[in-house]
């Protein structure tokens, strides 16, 4: 008999380990919550050593912490990085009470682990818990009737999942029309179930819990727990029994301390072994149990899934998932590894809040995967931006609608707003499911940069602006996955670029600016592989990105009052561009010191525009430091360049980084302005430069808080200090 108790319930593994070591037979087993998990594994033929190995494995830690994205990433479905800091999901009927999350962790990984551990065994015994290696029972709490329910049959993975569904930590699940939470709420020590179901000769109970102590009227969570919980009876219903009470040195959610819990259970059991052996006769043959386990496991049906079925009331929610995992017309039969890979690919799609899988044996002996689908809220609102001591403050707001039927669909409207940068974007995406999904999207983007204000401090407001860039572009995109962490993207777009600028630093409000318009179209092919741990200021992982672009268009330049010429220029341009970037953190020491290598290069055949400034504005800029995107520094723009640097990240405490980024910029072909106002090409590498940045960054739950010093020797004021909060990210530029 195994009680609940969260992480402390892993002590039951030590109890079973000690009992088997002393050859104490276990004929029946009953558990609740954590006790249900440990007990069900034992009932399915897992030895105490195998159970111990599992709860000490990374898989168990990922499961209890809901970190599916670490174990099984699928980059294809990840959104393009933006300045979002937090989000709110809204149900389609727009009522807030239906939009609040009921789960602190993502249950996807846990639910599939339950399927892996118990699904095939349950299907093999036709969901009869009496036919398991050890007859088994577990309990869960029926939410609507406020009663304890005992599971003696059914899909074992769902019964165990229901029993360990701690309120607000895991979302409740519905079985046979009833909604269930953690079994410990109403019966945390179901010794009565063991006694009434099996009438054992002697009961060994393992209890790591107790009834709640009186709570203060100011203790919100304590009061909430008291309202949900019914006191349990932690005594034996008969004299033929003993209760083992391991020390409770491990907290409810301290799953990283499971080894300590196992040791507590083992030691507590060994301390009572003399009392147990007075009533229980040890086994005579120690090898017999291992042989019986092997025989039971060999009798299980092979893990061969040939069909995906719906276990939901709304059958229309299944087609996308079924076509992503195993389409109806397919003749494939998936083994456990193939199913796992396809399952996690499909469930990475943003259309679902949770999927509850189970397995059912078909008449032909093959298995069917049954999915109970819970759709994610249709609407999602994202908020974010960047607040800085410089005049680059920017807000971000996004509204997205996502739904999946036979195909996945997303319509998103987003906006950046601020004095320095403003943007609007509309994007519609259609996802065709399959073992290799395909994304088709159409988009329209408006961008505007006002670089004069970016040179000011937070308290300055200097007019007029000397450089304003505006972009409009409309395009279509095709995206394909290249493995779990990579994508291949093809973009085709039409663009309209307008640049307003002065060619001298000495101008007045009465002067008129030069104006350059560039209208054309572009094609781009991009390969990206990304395993970085953060969307900005990463400290682990790798990014590889290669872009090949073709651009053609027509330039129209009108001179302003400060221009060196009075001629209007009408000119056609076309060029090819190849860009390559590698950022990797191959050196790590005890997760405290990380050293990254960063390389970026551009090869560009771009032709010259009407004047020096117009040409520089059309060139790609160096952006290896996030703040470089907020400056217009001609010395860091080049037709062809290479940049190599290192990123040293020291993390003395969790979420706090001391960071030093240092780079060597090597321009191969670079424009320079002549003293007479003209422009020409400099000698290769003449404009080489070192640049660096130092940061103190706290990675808060919503975004980074940082103090930074940038060293930009090609800028008039080489040292730039700023305080910032949030993400300094923008919508993609049209071609630059």
């Amino acid at each position: 008999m195994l009680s609940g108790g969260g992480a402390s319930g892993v002590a039951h593994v030590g109890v079973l380990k000690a009992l088997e070591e002393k050859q104490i037979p276990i004929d029946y087993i009953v558990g609740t919550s954590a006790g249900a998990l440990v007990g069900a594994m034992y009932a399915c033929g897992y030895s105490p050593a195998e159970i111990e190995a599992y709860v000490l494995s990374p898989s168990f830690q990922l499961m209890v912490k809901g970190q599916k994205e670490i174990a099984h990433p699928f980059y294809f479905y990840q959104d393009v990085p933006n300045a979002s800091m937090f989000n709110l999901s809204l149900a389609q009927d727009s009522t807030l009470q239906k939009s609040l999350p009921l789960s602190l962790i993502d249950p996807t990984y846990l639910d599939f682990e339950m399927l892996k551990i118990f699904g095939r065994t349950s299907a093999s015994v036709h969901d009869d818990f009496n036919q398991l290696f050890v007859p088994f029972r577990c309990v869960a709490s029926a939410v609507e009737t406020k009663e304890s329910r005992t599971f003696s049959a059914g899909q074992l993975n769902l019964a165990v999942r229901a029993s360990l569904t701690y309120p607000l930590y895991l979302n409740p699940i519905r079985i046979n029309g009833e909604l269930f939470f953690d079994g410990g709420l109403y019966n945390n020590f179901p010794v009565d179930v063991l006694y009434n179901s099996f009438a054992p000769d002697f009961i060994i109970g393992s209890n790591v819990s107790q009834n709640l102590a009186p709570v203060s009227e100011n203790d919100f969570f304590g009061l909430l727990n008291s309202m949900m919980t019914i006191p349990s009876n932690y005594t034996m219903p008969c004299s033929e029994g003993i209760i083992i009470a391991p020390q409770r040195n491990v907290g409810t959610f301290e799953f990283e301390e499971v080894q300590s819990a196992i040791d507590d259970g083992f030691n507590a059991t060994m301390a009572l072994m003399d009392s147990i052996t007075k009533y229980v006769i040890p086994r005579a043959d120690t090898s017999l149990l291992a042989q019986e386990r092997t025989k039971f496991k060999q009798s299980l049906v092979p893990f061969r899934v040939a069909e995906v079925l719906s276990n939901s009331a709304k059958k229309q929610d299944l087609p996308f998932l079924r076509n992503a995992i195993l389409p109806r017309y397919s003749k494939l039969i998936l083994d456990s590894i193939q199913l796992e890979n396809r399952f996690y690919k499909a469930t990475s799609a943003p259309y679902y809040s949770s999927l509850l899988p189970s397995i059912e044996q078909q008449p032909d002996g093959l298995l069917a995967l049954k999915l109970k689908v819970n759709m994610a809220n249709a609407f999602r609102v994202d908020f974010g931006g960047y607040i800085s001591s410089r005049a680059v403050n920017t807000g971000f707001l996004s509204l997205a609608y996502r739904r999946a039927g036979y195909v996945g669909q997303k319509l998103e409207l987003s906006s950046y707003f601020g004095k320095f940068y403003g943007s609007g974007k509309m994007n519609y995406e259609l996802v065709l499911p399959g073992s290799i999904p395909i994304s088709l999207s159409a988009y329209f983007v408006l961008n505007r940069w006002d670089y004069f204000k970016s040179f000011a401090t937070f308290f300055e407001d200097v007019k007029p602006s000397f450089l304003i860039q505006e972009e409009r572009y409309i395009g279509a995109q095709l995206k394909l996955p290249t493995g779990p962490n990579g994508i291949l993207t093809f973009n085709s777009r039409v663009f309209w670029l307008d640049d307003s600028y002065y060619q001298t630093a000495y101008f007045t409000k009465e002067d008129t600016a030069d104006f350059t318009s560039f209208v054309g179209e572009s094609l781009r092919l991009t390969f990206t592989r990304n395993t970085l741990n953060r969307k900005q200021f990463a400290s682990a992982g790798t990014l590889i990105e290669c872009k090949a672009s073709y651009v053609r268009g027509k330039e129209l330049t009108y001179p302003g009052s400060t221009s060196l010429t009075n001629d209007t220029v009408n000119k056609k341009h076309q060029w090819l561009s190849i860009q390559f970037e590698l950022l990797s953190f191959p050196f790590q020491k005890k997760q405290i010191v990380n050293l990254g290598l960063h390389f970026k290069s551009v090869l560009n055949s771009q032709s010259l525009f009407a004047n020096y400034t117009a040409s520089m504005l059309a060139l790609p800029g160096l952006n290896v430091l996030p703040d470089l995107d907020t400056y217009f520094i001609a010395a860091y723009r080049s037709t062809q360049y290479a940049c190599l640097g290192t990123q040293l990240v020291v993390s003395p405490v969790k979420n706090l980084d001391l960071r030093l980024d240092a780079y060597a910029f090597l321009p191969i072909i670079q424009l320079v302005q002549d003293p007479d106002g003209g422009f020409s090409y400099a000698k290769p590498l003449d404009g080489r430069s070192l640049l660096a940045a130092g940061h103190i960054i706290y990675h808060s739950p919503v975004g980074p808080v940082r103090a930074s010093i940038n060293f930009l020797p090609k800028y008039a004021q080489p040292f730039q200090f700023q305080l910032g909060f949030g993400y300094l990210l923008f919508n993609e530029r049209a071609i630059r």
Side-chain angles (χ1 to χ4, degrees):
M1 211 332 288
L2 309 179
S3 75
S8 62
V10 181
H12 302 316
V13 180
V15 173
L16 295 173
K17 182 179 177 181
L19 293 175
E20 283 216 355
E21 185 173 308
K22 294 300 182 180
Q23 304 175 31
I24 304 300
I26 300 173
D27 299 317
Y28 313 102
I29 194 162
V30 174
T32 186
S33 194
L37 173 61
V38 174
M41 290 187 73
Y42 190 85
C44 286
Y46 291 87
S47 69
E50 290 173 323
I51 302 173
E52 180 178 21
Y54 179 75
V55 299
L56 293 174
S57 70
S59 294
F60 180 77
Q61 293 297 324
L62 292 171
M63 179 181 79
V64 296
K65 295 177 181 178
Q67 294 174 308
K68 174 198 70 174
E69 67 280 2
I70 297 176
H72 294 272
F74 193 54
Y75 187 61
F76 176 83
Y77 286 115
Q78 292 185 23
D79 291 328
V80 175
N82 56 42
S84 173
M85 298 167 70
F86 58 95
N87 61 74
L88 176 65
S89 295
L90 299 173
Q92 199 158 347
D93 61 8
S94 73
T95 59
L96 183 61
Q97 67 182 32
K98 293 185 178 180
S99 302
L100 295 176
L102 294 175
S103 181
L104 183 64
I105 69 169
D106 183 344
T108 305
Y109 188 73
L110 182 146
D111 289 335
F112 195 78
E113 284 293 291
M114 294 294 99
L115 180 75
K116 285 170 56 179
I117 296 170
F118 304 120
R120 181 168 70 115
T121 306
S122 184
S124 299
V125 299
H126 304 288
D127 299 326
D128 182 357
F129 297 177
N130 289 323
Q131 301 304 313
L132 295 171
F133 180 69
V134 176
F136 173 74
R137 301 287 187 271
C138 68
V139 299
S141 300
V143 175
E144 290 137 324
T145 60
K146 295 182 174 57
E147 295 175 333
S148 179
R149 288 278 188 273
T150 299
F151 289 95
S152 61
Q155 289 158 326
L156 181 60
N157 64 299
L158 300 186
V160 175
R161 167 63 162 86
S163 186
L164 53 79
T165 301
Y166 194 88
L168 301 184
Y169 192 73
L170 279 169
N171 60 295
I173 66 169
R174 194 174 292 276
I175 301 175
N176 297 329
E178 283 196 288
L179 199 62
F180 289 100
F181 262 130
D182 193 293
L185 294 180
Y186 302 150
N187 192 352
N188 203 32
F189 192 64
V191 67
D192 57 320
V193 174
L194 178 65
Y195 187 79
N196 295 327
S197 298
F198 301 116
D201 297 325
F202 189 81
I203 297 175
I204 300 174
S206 176
N207 178 36
V208 292
S209 190
Q210 61 184 354
N211 288 318
L212 297 173
V215 297
S216 166
E217 63 273 17
N218 298 318
D219 183 355
F220 173 78
F221 288 103
L223 290 169
L224 184 64
N225 203 13
S226 293
M227 287 189 292
M228 294 190 300
T229 305
I230 295 176
S232 295
N233 183 0
Y234 293 103
T235 62
M236 283 291 175
C238 62
S239 59
E240 293 81 15
I242 192 169
I243 296 178
I244 301 167
Q247 295 180 9
R248 290 185 293 272
N249 296 324
V250 177
T252 302
F253 300 108
E254 294 179 351
F255 290 101
E256 64 278 0
E257 301 294 332
V258 291
Q259 182 63 70
S260 177
I262 294 171
D263 294 340
D264 289 343
F266 182 85
N267 294 333
T269 306
M270 289 303 240
L272 292 174
M273 193 57 65
D274 288 343
S275 299
I276 296 172
T277 54
K278 287 181 181 180
Y279 298 95
V280 182
I281 301 174
R283 288 188 178 91
D285 188 351
T286 56
S287 64
L288 182 60
L289 182 61
Q291 294 174 7
E292 291 174 347
R293 278 201 178 101
T294 301
K295 183 178 179 181
F296 177 79
K297 291 178 181 179
Q298 290 174 344
S299 70
L300 302 180
V301 297
F303 199 113
R304 302 173 68 216
V305 174
E307 191 175 6
V308 178
L309 303 175
S310 175
N311 200 20
S312 304
K314 297 181 179 179
K315 306 297 182 183
Q316 65 270 25
D317 293 341
L318 181 69
F320 184 94
L321 287 166
R322 183 179 59 225
N323 291 332
I325 299 173
L326 191 61
R328 274 182 175 170
Y329 55 80
S330 174
K331 296 183 179 180
L332 289 174
I333 296 176
L334 305 180
D335 61 24
S336 60
I337 296 176
Q338 293 170 324
L339 176 64
E340 183 171 1
N341 290 335
R342 292 189 177 212
F343 178 84
Y344 282 117
K345 281 184 182 180
T347 57
S348 295
Y351 316 114
Y352 309 99
S353 60
S354 66
L355 296 171
L356 201 58
S358 57
I359 283 179
E360 183 179 87
Q361 188 175 0
Q362 303 295 85
D364 58 4
L366 297 174
L367 300 176
L369 176 70
K370 300 189 72 173
L371 294 175
K372 184 174 177 59
V373 180
N374 291 313
M375 303 297 292
N377 291 330
F379 292 97
R380 171 170 156 163
V381 184
D382 283 74
F383 307 89
Y386 183 67
I387 301 173
S388 173
S389 56
R390 291 178 55 228
V392 292
N393 300 285
T394 307
F396 174 77
L397 177 65
S398 171
L399 174 63
Y401 174 82
R402 309 182 193 216
R403 260 298 174 251
Y406 284 94
V407 297
Q409 299 181 72
K410 180 179 78 169
L411 176 63
E412 182 177 17
L413 303 174
S414 63
S415 175
Y416 289 86
F417 42 93
K419 291 182 178 180
F420 160 65
Y421 175 67
S423 179
K425 180 178 181 180
M426 179 172 65
N427 180 66
Y428 175 73
E429 181 183 31
L430 195 68
V431 177
L432 308 179
S435 58
I436 301 178
I438 300 172
S439 166
L440 303 170
S441 58
Y443 53 84
F444 175 68
V445 179
L446 297 170
N447 284 325
R448 186 181 191 275
W449 287 268
D450 185 342
Y451 279 99
F452 194 95
K453 292 183 174 63
S454 72
F455 282 72
T457 67
F458 186 82
F459 300 100
E460 293 180 89
D461 188 15
V462 187
K463 295 180 180 180
S465 298
F466 88 106
L467 171 56
I468 295 176
Q469 288 188 295
E470 295 181 344
E471 298 182 345
R472 290 163 290 155
Y473 62 90
I474 186 170
Q477 176 178 277
L478 169 67
K479 185 171 70 173
L480 297 169
T482 58
N485 302 310
I487 55 171
L488 189 66
T489 308
F490 178 75
N491 265 295
S492 174
R493 63 182 55 155
V494 178
F495 57 82
W496 299 263
L497 311 182
D498 296 326
D499 296 337
S500 179
Y501 53 92
Y502 294 92
Q503 296 191 58
T504 175
Y506 305 101
F507 57 89
T508 67
K509 293 182 179 180
E510 285 72 33
D511 285 318
T512 58
D514 287 50
F515 178 81
T516 296
S517 170
F518 186 48
V519 180
E521 56 274 343
S522 71
L523 301 173
R524 174 182 289 177
L525 182 65
T526 304
F527 167 76
T528 305
R529 184 181 185 276
N530 191 344
T531 62
L532 296 178
N533 63 334
R534 300 188 182 104
K535 61 182 176 181
Q536 199 161 45
F537 300 111
S539 60
T542 298
L543 168 69
I544 300 173
E545 187 165 74
C546 185
K547 298 179 182 179
S549 305
Y550 169 73
V551 179
R552 71 175 184 182
K554 183 176 182 180
E555 172 200 359
L556 186 61
T557 296
Y558 298 96
S561 60
T562 63
S563 177
L564 300 178
T565 67
N566 295 319
D567 297 329
T568 298
V569 176
N570 195 328
K571 189 177 181 181
K572 292 183 179 180
H573 298 271
Q574 62 176 343
W575 66 82
L576 295 173
S577 175
I578 297 176
Q579 300 182 38
F580 176 78
E581 182 174 11
L582 169 65
L583 172 59
S584 183
F585 291 86
F587 307 110
Q588 185 180 83
K589 186 174 182 180
K590 297 181 179 180
Q591 298 184 340
I592 297 177
V593 178
N594 293 277
L595 181 63
L597 301 176
H598 194 183
F599 175 76
K600 187 170 185 177
S601 65
V602 173
L603 298 175
N604 197 324
S605 64
Q606 185 170 326
S607 52
L608 299 178
F609 279 58
N611 56 63
Y612 171 76
T613 305
S615 297
M616 296 304 294
L617 287 172
L619 292 178
L622 183 67
N623 62 350
V624 290
L625 301 175
D627 295 316
L628 281 174
D629 275 332
T630 65
Y631 293 95
F632 175 73
I633 305 175
Y636 295 131
R637 290 173 175 253
S638 175
T639 306
Q640 299 180 21
Y641 70 80
C643 186
L644 178 64
T646 62
Q647 299 184 354
L648 176 63
V649 184
V650 180
S651 305
V653 297
K654 185 179 180 180
N655 295 326
L656 179 66
D657 289 349
L658 308 179
R659 186 183 186 100
L660 177 63
D661 303 337
Y663 291 90
F665 174 60
L666 305 171
I668 301 168
I669 298 178
Q670 189 173 37
L671 289 177
V672 292
Q673 193 165 25
D674 300 328
D676 61 359
F679 56 100
S680 59
Y681 289 110
K683 293 181 179 179
L685 304 182
D686 259 9
R688 62 186 180 274
S689 172
L690 299 177
L691 61 154
H695 313 275
I696 300 175
I697 306 174
Y698 172 67
H699 297 279
S700 75
V702 295
V705 181
R706 65 180 172 115
S708 301
I709 296 179
N710 294 312
F711 173 61
L712 308 173
K714 295 294 186 178
Y715 181 47
Q717 301 173 10
F719 289 96
Q720 294 285 316
F721 173 77
Q722 66 173 302
L723 299 174
F725 172 50
Y727 294 101
L728 197 56
L729 295 170
F730 312 106
N731 280 329
E732 186 180 41
R733 286 180 174 266
I735 58 171
R736 299 181 249 234

